[in-house]
Amino acid sequence: MKSLEILNNQKTINRIQMKTLNKIIISLVFLLTLKAGIVCAQDINWNDVENGNKHFVTLSLGEDNSSYYGLTYGYNIGNTKLPLILDAEFSVPFGEDVFDDWNSRIGLQTKLWSHNDLWWSAKASVVTRKFESEVASLLNFGSSLSTLFGYQKSKWGIAAEFTYDRSEITKIENRITKDYYPEITDGWYNTASGNFKIGLQANASIKSTNLFLRFGKTYGQDFENNPTVPFYAKVGISKSF
Amino acid sequence: MKTMKQFFKLSIFIWAILLVFGCSKDDFYEMDEPGLLVPLTVDEDPSLPSISLNGTLLHSEAFGNPEDPMIVVIHGGPGGDYRTLLCSRDLVDDGYYVVFYDQRGSGLSQRHDADDFTVQMYIDDLEAVIDYYRYDENQKVILLTHSWGSMLAAGFVNEYPEAIDGMVLAEPGGLTFDQMEEYLSRSLEVELFNEATNDAIFPDHIFAGRSEHEILDYKQSFWISFETAEGNTIGNPGPYPHWRSGAVAHSASHDYVVEHGFDFQNNLGNYTQKVLFMYSEWNEAYGEDWAEEVAAPFPNKEVEIVLGTGHEMFYFGWDDMYPKVLNYLNEIQ
């Protein structure tokens, strides 16, 4: 009898695990097939996750192919043992026209492994970018994957970051260029290409408030045609609760 | 249990990578397809006027009587084109044979790989253009030039002081590498938290890590908004027409001079013909003092201001520039 109870409990546990896993897979499929693109994902102090905090809010400003400021909200849809942070970010480049250009991002990140103070996480995101100038209007969707390997103590942490930030498709509506080249073609373009980012992240923690600093180098995926500003930097203040 | 969880997490991560890389987009335009986002070049469209020389095909036109004194118009950049200089055709009615050409890899001229671009290449191509259009050895040759084109003209005359019968230099950045760098530090001053800067570099998110020339040229075109933004340093009052920004020509040429340097003034003392040196009223990075400094190596020159315009003085300031150019041409006849 006891063996049957144990077996039933094990089956129940397995069903719950499979349901959770199915939710994860479905979420990833849905998000990744939207084909969006990302800049940087949520800054997470995994100790805050283990302490049971569910909500993560970050204000940030930085430089990443434009100077920008933004707001991110994340929520742990997993648990302290199997954390899965679903987050959304909205950022705007600096400039006189405030909302003519913007980035919005939805992402998932999880801690893949940890041992003592070491941790390894992965992020998958989709991003929508909108851009307007007198040259053209662009609506871009892309995706990105990144991995961080870090060391987190109670009051500080440091991590190495590797990200592949990919553009997928873009709707191009040309403007002033049409005056000079009437045959220019508007429409949806395959803009599949990307940048690699390699950098460091550091954080200082006071209770559930973290100050993050992230910086690194950006390379075009061919390591020849690199961005005009070949580095990125971000300062953020994050609160979890 | 823990191993299973870790395995599932890693599997999801790897699967996500495969999904991202496995995308296909058969229903979308391809950015590198010729003619979609940037005009066809002369090797892609045989109907465009062109001349063949030095192993390349240059977009080129000439107007007027081929036996009249020849004016060769040299555009800026590197990587620009002669579209905004077409106003110089007015000089045909004043008795000149006016020749235009897009430099190698620029405008509608044939594209070339980065390794092809050297300073001597530009000088050799200019020599070949003159030889191509020249009626006979007695025909006078005058250079009417702008910005980088003026630097190139000075370099040509520095090497061949006997070959040219007159020059109009309109705001060359500098006649040495150090002068050029000093001018660029003022004219291309970038403010990071500024709309114009962000409008120029934001497309790096989207057109990232691609080496196809068509894509690089299209991405380069977004810098137009930076050069013509309200309050821009070089005084451009608005956008101006162009055919194609030769991104590879521009970057490769700059990389070449960074590595090798240049000095276009070490023999200018032997050029005794009068030179007309022009600068614009609204270019805050240039001004009379810089004009005098850059023009100093010429023993016989006149420095003139072009009013009511910035750096793109041919397009925006031709009404004031033309009579001054014509007056100079009449003086040297």
Side-chain angles (χ1 to χ4, degrees), chain B residues 123-244:
Chain B
I123 291 175
D124 292 344
D125 282 354
L126 174 56
E127 183 182 23
V129 168
I130 294 170
D131 287 345
Y132 183 92
Y133 283 105
R134 197 166 199 175
Y135 182 76
D136 61 31
E137 287 183 358
N138 297 319
Q139 185 180 30
K140 285 192 174 180
V141 178
I142 300 145
L143 304 181
L144 176 58
T145 70
H146 178 236
S147 192
W148 150 251
S150 299
M151 296 167 63
L152 170 57
F156 185 84
V157 163
N158 195 57
E159 192 164 324
Y160 305 111
E162 305 298 325
I164 300 300
D165 301 289
M167 279 202 300
V168 178
L169 306 181
E171 287 191 351
L175 301 187
T176 66
F177 177 77
D178 289 343
Q179 273 187 350
M180 181 196 76
E181 289 283 277
E182 185 177 341
Y183 172 67
L184 290 179
S185 70
R186 295 193 301 268
S187 64
L188 294 179
E189 191 177 355
V190 170
E191 296 177 25
L192 274 182
F193 299 98
N194 152 300
E195 181 87 31
T197 303
N198 283 336
D199 278 353
I201 64 177
F202 190 98
D204 281 337
H205 278 301
I206 297 167
F207 312 119
R210 295 286 293 266
S211 59
E212 297 92 328
H213 288 209
E214 290 83 358
I215 297 173
L216 296 175
D217 292 341
Y218 184 68
K219 188 166 67 168
Q220 179 92 352
S221 70
F222 285 87
W223 279 91
I224 292 171
S225 61
F226 179 82
E227 290 184 9
T228 60
E230 188 176 335
N232 67 84
T233 305
I234 58 177
N236 286 332
Y240 52 88
H242 64 284
W243 286 305
R244 177 180 72 89

Side-chain angles (χ1 to χ4, degrees), chain B residues 51-73:
Chain B
I51 59 176
S52 177
L53 51 84
N54 289 352
T56 189
L57 209 55
L58 300 181
H59 175 232
S60 179
E61 298 174 275
F63 302 89
N65 184 346
E67 297 182 45
D68 283 341
M70 181 164 65
I71 292 176
V72 180
V73 182

Side-chain angles (χ1 to χ4, degrees), chain A residues 50-139:
Chain A
E50 289 177 10
N51 291 337
N53 291 352
K54 284 284 202 183
H55 305 273
F56 301 86
V57 179
T58 303
L59 290 173
S60 59
L61 66 89
E63 167 64 45
D64 184 0
N65 291 325
S66 70
S67 54
Y68 70 92
Y69 52 99
L71 175 68
T72 310
Y73 170 74
Y75 181 76
N76 185 6
I77 62 174
N79 52 50
T80 57
K81 298 297 182 186
L82 183 63
L84 192 64
I85 311 294
L86 173 66
D87 63 0
E89 177 180 353
F90 187 81
S91 62
V92 176
F94 283 92
E96 296 77 38
D97 296 328
V98 179
F99 291 111
D100 63 330
D101 313 321
W102 48 262
N103 293 294
S104 68
R105 181 188 60 77
I106 298 175
L108 279 172
Q109 60 178 309
T110 186
K111 187 167 63 172
L112 294 173
W113 170 88
S114 64
H115 179 69
N116 294 334
D117 297 323
L118 292 171
W119 55 271
W120 174 35
S121 73
K123 313 174 192 178
S125 299
V126 292
V127 158
T128 307
R129 294 188 179 94
K130 183 73 168 67
F131 167 84
E132 287 190 11
S133 77
E134 64 179 358
V135 177
S137 168
L138 308 174
L139 177 63

